[in-house]
Amino acid sequence: MRQFFLPSKRVGAVLLLLLLGGFTLNFIMQAASLRNMGSALNWISQYHWLYISGSLFFFFVLLIFSVILPNVYSGALIAFVVCFIIAVANYKKLGTTGEPLFPWDLNQIKNAQEMSKITKGMISPYAVIAAIVLIALLVYLIFKLPKVKIQLPLRFVIVVISVAAIIGFLQMIGSQTALATSMKYQNIPWNQKVNYAQNGFVYAFAGNLKQKLMEKPEGYSQEAIAAIAKKYSALPDNTSVNGSAEQPNIMYMMDEAFFDPTRLPTYTFSEDPLKFIHQEQNSTPSGFLLSPEFGGNTANIEFEALTGLSMYFLQDGSIPYQQRIVKMSSLPSIVSILKERGYKTEALHPFDDTFYNRNRVYPILGFDQFTSEKDLSNAQRIKPNGYISDMFAVQEAVRELKSSDKPTFLHLVTMQNHFPFTKGLNGPNSITVDGVQPEYKDELETYVHDTKLTDEALAYLKEQLKTIKRPTIVVFWGDHLPALSAGIYTQAGWDTNPRLKHETKLMYMANFDIGKQSVGTHSPAFIGPTVFQLSGQKMPPYYRLLEKVKSEIPGLSKNVRVGTSGVITQFTPEQKALLDDYRLVEYDMLEGEHYSKDLLF
């Protein structure tokens, strides 16, 4: 291979080429973020300075790669392709979940192998072929292009200038400087869709690098938290008279992408896929869970359910597990509360233990044991290439509860119903769905078949509860609605009803009397106090705060707020005061001085 140093007179031509590459790359990023080129051109006409400065950022990225790697051309090409892949990832995430790509999403790179399995079937075969061709072409060019270097002194100068420019750019955005403001940049963390649409991918993504989960609320102090603790400690402990005298086992079963598909109008089913659930819901406390997410971000529903903290107060797009909790030494949760009361605390997730940093987060929340896919050598899958079945996961959970010689809190997170909804992944479809457009028929029938398998696993769990000697209460819920093709929800008329697109099935079951009253619709943050109330366990002041909020605003989500008599369009002064208390405590626990730990637990 030829190797020579680039003459000084050719440096200018290379810089011009890289500058063109920076502008091209930024346009691709913006087109992917806005999902079409016309919208990207319109954005450039309105925010030309953001486009120009963002393109210069990419120019310096390409430049620094071109001088650090052995070949000017290969270094720039590799950097270009990496950025292009990020643009594609942003495009696909927007199409699947409706959310853009965030910096903390890149933490999942370590789970690339598992992610490829999750997304299998979602990516067009043509796209895969194109990617293979592109990679092959890149490798060919790297080996065939002349190995061109820039003289060492000039390379050093370019690196210093490029690093300084990149750092300066990030500081300008992170500090919301006057220069950034003059270019029409406005950080909008509370609404990330608007943030990316208005500021462009580069500015929005960079602005999120130092994003806190929530801003400091007005009036936050140790005295304020002490006053809240005093207020809610004085409230009566409304535990159920039907509660168990013996410390009961408590089992959470958070089922991946599970909701009741028979709620979708316009579709008819050859049989009821949820026969057990529809029968059981009339004889045990049941209702709906108001999920803060749609189509993904399972960890955020889990975060609410385990901690009682609400996504409602956090910046739009936040993932607390990855942004904050993983950096903490401890965080009060239902896990730590029960652990202090002598409970054995176990988590069971039949998938990769590093997803959402669960292997690091669970001990912080108080779990003693975490069983993941790598620990389940005999795990059963309906088909070899499918996920571990809900039935096997339930059987494993029952085995753990029966073998324990002390009260146990067991948190089960299933995987069977995760997308892609590929026909045959969990066996042949057993239910026919009519009224669905032909291009969606296999997908919807596959999902409905999967829910039937979950219903059967839940029926098995109900029967097994009778054989467990210790009083045991189970909470079953779906974490979020599945990422089915948008046309399925559009045909059902759900596009204009955020409540329906965020309500999943919720059911409480026990082997002792917990009544059969409906629990209506409530958020995952309120599952803990509901379990304590039904099982007759003493509530710490923090749970009394949650119970009070639940009595006024049982469904608390950015997408929709649900009160005791329907959707809330405007909070009353009393509800605002409750939310102010809740917000102060949440800030204290996540970003503040942790006064709550001793005062409210």
Side-chain angles (χ1 to χ4, degrees):
M1 182 184 294
R2 293 172 293 161
Q3 177 175 337
F4 55 87
F5 288 103
L6 192 67
S8 299
K9 61 182 180 180
R10 295 279 303 278
V11 171
V14 171
L15 293 178
L16 183 61
L17 182 63
L18 295 179
L19 184 62
L20 178 62
F23 275 82
T24 303
L25 198 51
N26 197 19
F27 178 78
I28 292 172
M29 284 287 187
Q30 200 54 27
S33 192
L34 297 174
R35 300 189 63 74
N36 68 74
M37 290 188 289
S39 297
L41 290 171
N42 184 57
W43 176 82
I44 291 171
S45 68
Q46 295 183 63
Y47 299 97
H48 47 274
W49 287 115
L50 292 181
Y51 173 66
I52 291 170
S53 55
S55 299
L56 290 175
F57 169 80
F58 279 118
F59 162 69
F60 283 112
V61 170
L62 296 176
L63 184 59
I64 198 169
F65 270 81
S66 70
V67 296
I68 287 178
L69 295 182
N71 190 338
V72 167
Y73 298 117
S74 61
L77 271 172
I78 290 172
F80 191 98
V81 170
V82 169
C83 292
F84 182 81
I85 290 172
I86 291 174
V88 172
N90 182 46
Y91 181 85
K92 293 300 295 183
K93 188 186 177 193
L94 277 165
T96 303
T97 68
E99 287 190 332
L101 191 73
F102 302 115
W104 41 91
D105 290 328
L106 299 184
N107 289 333
Q108 298 298 346
I109 289 175
K110 65 181 183 297
N111 305 113
Q113 183 176 353
E114 290 76 14
M115 286 297 293
S116 65
K117 178 180 178 180
I118 287 175
T119 56
K120 184 180 180 182
M122 297 184 64
I123 301 173
S124 165
Y126 298 108
V128 174
I129 293 171
I132 293 172
V133 171
L134 181 63
I135 292 171
L137 179 61
L138 176 64
V139 172
Y140 175 82
L141 288 173
I142 288 174
F143 278 96
K144 286 296 183 180
L145 285 172
K147 194 171 184 182
V148 180
K149 292 184 177 181
I150 297 176
Q151 296 284 354
L152 187 59
L154 183 56
R155 289 173 65 191
F156 177 77
V157 171
I158 288 174
V159 168
V160 171
I161 293 174
S162 298
V163 170
I166 291 171
I167 292 175
F169 180 84
L170 296 177
Q171 287 182 340
M172 175 188 71
I173 297 173
S175 303
Q176 185 78 51
T177 63
L179 177 59
T181 304
S182 70
M183 291 188 288
K184 296 186 179 181
Y185 169 67
Q186 180 189 4
N187 190 20
I188 313 172
W190 56 90
N191 190 329
Q192 292 288 0
K193 291 180 183 178
V194 175
N195 193 23
Y196 278 70
Q198 178 175 313
N199 295 312
F201 180 86
V202 180
Y203 272 84
F205 190 89
N208 281 324
L209 288 173
K210 293 184 178 180
Q211 200 68 266
K212 288 185 176 181
L213 288 177
M214 60 189 301
E215 296 299 324
K216 184 178 180 179
E218 183 179 350
Y220 173 70
S221 66
Q222 184 174 4
E223 291 74 21
I225 300 299
I228 291 171
K230 182 178 180 181
K231 180 195 302 186
Y232 294 99
S233 295
L235 292 181
D237 188 358
N238 296 321
T239 52
S240 171
V241 294
N242 297 322
S244 169
E246 184 181 4
Q247 282 187 311
N249 294 323
I250 297 173
M251 175 179 163
Y252 278 7
M253 181 175 174
M254 185 171 75
D255 204 275
E256 171 62 37
F258 184 90
F259 87 117
D260 184 349
T262 65
R263 299 185 79 198
L264 290 166
T266 74
Y267 304 126
T268 56
F269 306 84
S270 60
E271 67 175 86
D272 183 0
L274 307 184
K275 291 178 182 176
F276 168 76
I277 289 176
H278 289 154
Q279 177 182 348
E280 183 69 14
Q281 66 187 11
N282 298 316
S283 57
T284 196
S286 65
F288 298 99
L289 180 118
L290 188 68
S291 175
E293 303 290 348
F294 173 83
N297 287 341
T298 295
N300 288 346
I301 299 91
E302 183 176 62
F303 160 77
E304 282 206 12
L306 294 178
T307 66
L309 301 172
S310 176
M311 293 298 300
Y312 177 78
F313 300 115
L314 304 188
Q315 304 283 19
D316 199 18
S318 297
I319 302 181
Y321 273 18
Q322 297 182 168
Q323 292 173 260
R324 183 72 183 99
I325 299 179
V326 72
K327 303 172 186 176
M328 302 173 73
S329 58
S330 65
L331 179 67
S333 67
I334 189 171
V335 191
S336 62
I337 292 170
L338 293 173
K339 187 175 182 177
E340 290 180 358
R341 297 182 181 184
Y343 273 71
K344 179 182 179 182
T345 55
E346 299 182 45
L348 172 60
H349 178 45
F351 199 59
D352 183 3
D353 61 339
T354 66
F355 249 63
Y356 291 115
N357 291 314
R358 283 190 176 98
N359 59 327
R360 297 167 61 192
V361 167
Y362 279 169
I364 294 168
L365 296 177
F367 282 105
D368 293 317
Q369 178 180 322
F370 178 20
T371 302
S372 66
E373 183 177 31
K374 63 181 174 58
D375 306 307
L376 301 170
S377 56
N378 62 333
Q380 297 172 6
R381 306 168 194 268
I382 298 168
K383 290 290 183 178
N385 59 338
Y387 297 106
I388 294 174
S389 70
D390 280 5
M391 180 64 80
F392 175 83
V394 167
Q395 290 171 342
E396 185 68 17
V398 169
R399 188 188 66 79
E400 289 288 344
L401 292 176
K402 286 184 175 181
S403 64
S404 179
D405 58 356
K406 58 193 298 190
T408 299
F409 173 75
L410 191 149
H411 174 55
L412 168 62
V413 182
T414 71
M415 278 297 291
Q416 174 193 284
N417 300 326
H418 202 293
F419 64 74
F421 306 110
T422 305
K423 187 176 181 179
L425 193 65
N426 288 316
N429 291 344
S430 55
I431 297 178
T432 302
V433 181
D434 292 323
V436 61
Q437 296 178 26
E439 61 267 35
Y440 304 133
K441 187 174 177 63
D442 282 348
E443 179 185 6
L444 184 56
E445 289 183 348
T446 296
Y447 177 76
V448 171
H449 168 74
D450 292 350
T451 63
K452 177 183 177 181
L453 298 177
T454 298
D455 186 72
E456 292 170 353
L458 204 59
Y460 169 83
L461 176 59
K462 175 67 176 180
E463 287 302 310
Q464 288 299 307
L465 284 177
K466 300 173 185 177
T467 67
I468 299 175
K469 295 180 180 180
R470 182 179 291 276
T472 301
I473 184 169
V474 175
V475 192
F476 168 86
W477 74 90
D479 58 352
H480 52 71
L481 267 72
L484 296 166
S485 294
I488 293 174
Y489 294 112
T490 299
Q491 185 181 342
W494 279 24
D495 286 349
T496 57
N497 194 327
R499 178 172 179 174
L500 290 174
K501 291 190 78 170
H502 288 271
E503 277 187 333
T504 67
K505 196 61 191 169
L506 170 67
M507 182 179 294
Y508 296 82
M509 302 187 302
N511 57 7
F512 60 95
D513 183 17
I514 57 172
K516 58 181 181 180
Q517 69 278 22
S518 169
V519 296
T521 295
H522 68 70
S523 294
F526 306 134
I527 290 175
T530 304
V531 168
F532 274 30
Q533 194 270 336
L534 291 174
S535 61
Q537 299 215 46
K538 183 179 179 181
M539 292 192 193
Y542 173 61
Y543 269 28
R544 298 182 202 181
L545 164 61
L546 296 181
E547 186 68 22
K548 184 65 176 174
V549 177
K550 180 190 169 191
S551 69
E552 290 284 335
I553 317 167
L556 184 60
S557 165
K558 290 184 178 183
N559 303 288
V560 61
R561 273 72 63 193
V562 178
T564 54
S565 57
V567 174
I568 297 174
T569 56
Q570 188 173 357
F571 292 125
T572 66
E574 292 78 13
Q575 290 171 337
K576 288 181 180 178
L578 267 177
L579 291 179
D580 286 342
D581 288 347
Y582 195 1
R583 181 182 288 106
L584 283 168
V585 171
E586 182 152 340
Y587 176 82
D588 178 67
M589 292 173 65
L590 290 175
E591 300 279 9
E593 301 300 324
H594 313 298
Y595 304 124
S596 305
K597 188 173 184 179
D598 294 326
L599 295 171
L600 284 162
F601 292 89

